[in-house]
Amino acid sequence: MGAPGAGKGTQARFVSGLLGIPHLASGDLLREHRRRGTPLGRIARAYMDRGDLVPDDLVVQMVIERLGRSDAAGGALLDGFPRTLAQARALDAELAAHGGGVRVALLLDVPTDALVSRLAGRRVCIGCQGTFHIALQALPTDGTCPRCGDMLMQRPDDAEAVVTHRVQVYLTETAPVVDHYRAQERLRSIDGVRPIDAIEADVRAILTRQPPQRDGLPIPDRAPAPDSPALPTLAGRR
Ligand code: AMP
């Protein structure tokens, strides 16, 4: 979790590699629907271009459908979802119905005033979808992706006016989701205003720490049912 520009995508890719689970970013899934011109993509376009949230029922259905695919049977890293209390409750209910749950909610904490300048410098690769920052990373001068060589571009919704609105939407709609996971004692907050490798070190430490055996943060409400796919264990991965 984190405000737009907090660095969720970068850390999500790191976590996905660390735990060997797929990185499911609701924004990427929606952009893919737009590229393919699906009915969902056509509906989502106007919301996204304004910096508004796509309606809960559509996003929940899309993410639950994606979580049901075989590569997510051992767990997944969700990025940008849930973004409203209604989404969080729908996710909790769906996971509980399969004997699972949210293991841990990682919050990248970045002060609001730092976000707009961060997003203005963000570039996204049209090939590998990697995100980079012109001020924080040394990037090729010809505008190509340092990872795959395809072209880097600026997302239209990273324009300053849209970003300001997205941050406002985050504060009103998504901040309550942070409180939701804090109340469940699943929230881990990380100072996001530091170099990427320092943040990664914190993320690694949190995710590889031996989880407490009871009443602890990373333990789901119910143990997985014997016949349901186990969530990836975070224990013993030092
Ligand atoms: P992101 O790439 O996560 O910044 O998302 C880009 C845009 O997609 C957002 O500004 C929203 O319009 C939409 N979006 C992504 N995730 C969600 C979500 N969980 N709920 C509603 N809208 C979303």
Side-chain angles (χ1 to χ4, degrees), residues 8-218:
K8 295 189 296 295
T10 302
Q11 291 303 323
R13 275 182 286 279
F14 171 69
V15 172
S16 169
L18 181 71
L19 300 183
I21 55 177
H23 166 203
L24 308 190
S26 48
D28 287 348
L29 294 175
L30 287 167
R31 280 184 287 277
E32 179 61 23
H33 275 276
R34 286 178 60 159
R35 265 193 295 277
R36 290 181 6 230
T38 67
L40 170 59
R42 285 197 294 274
I43 296 171
R45 177 180 297 272
Y47 292 96
M48 295 172 78
D49 287 349
R50 284 196 305 268
D52 284 330
L53 295 183
V54 176
D56 286 333
D57 52 342
L58 299 178
V59 180
V60 167
Q61 195 186 357
M62 174 187 77
V63 173
I64 299 292
E65 185 273 324
R66 179 63 187 83
L67 277 173
R69 294 199 208 151
S70 58
D71 64 339
L77 185 281
L78 293 171
D79 165 9
F81 180 93
R83 241 168 161 114
T84 65
L85 265 185
Q87 292 178 17
R89 290 181 179 137
L91 178 68
D92 286 350
E94 177 70 20
L95 295 180
H98 291 85
V102 172
R103 282 289 174 102
V104 59
L106 292 174
L107 171 68
L108 284 175
D109 197 11
V110 175
T112 312
D113 52 9
L115 297 169
V116 175
S117 62
R118 276 182 167 226
L119 286 175
R122 179 161 79 172
R123 298 292 180 271
V124 183
C125 175
I126 59 171
C128 70
Q129 310 294 317
T131 52
F132 306 93
H133 199 284
I134 53 174
L136 303 178
Q137 287 162 294
L139 298 176
T141 50
D142 60 357
T144 55
C145 173
R147 192 181 301 151
C148 77
D150 216 324
M151 289 308 295
L152 297 180
M153 58 157 286
Q154 184 174 38
R155 272 171 46 175
D157 59 347
D158 282 346
E160 193 168 327
V162 183
V163 166
T164 306
H165 180 60
R166 286 167 63 205
V167 171
Q168 196 54 48
V169 169
Y170 173 81
L171 293 174
T172 51
E173 300 287 343
T174 310
V177 183
V178 174
D179 294 336
H180 173 81
Y181 289 118
R182 186 180 287 118
Q184 291 186 355
E185 300 191 338
R186 285 175 159 78
L187 189 76
R188 287 287 189 251
S189 186
I190 298 166
D191 176 0
V193 194
R194 289 175 304 150
I196 289 172
D197 52 356
I199 299 172
E200 280 181 3
D202 278 8
V203 169
R204 179 191 294 274
I206 289 169
L207 293 179
T208 55
R209 193 175 296 150
Q210 180 75 30
Q213 295 307 301
R214 64 182 178 81
D215 298 329
L217 302 180

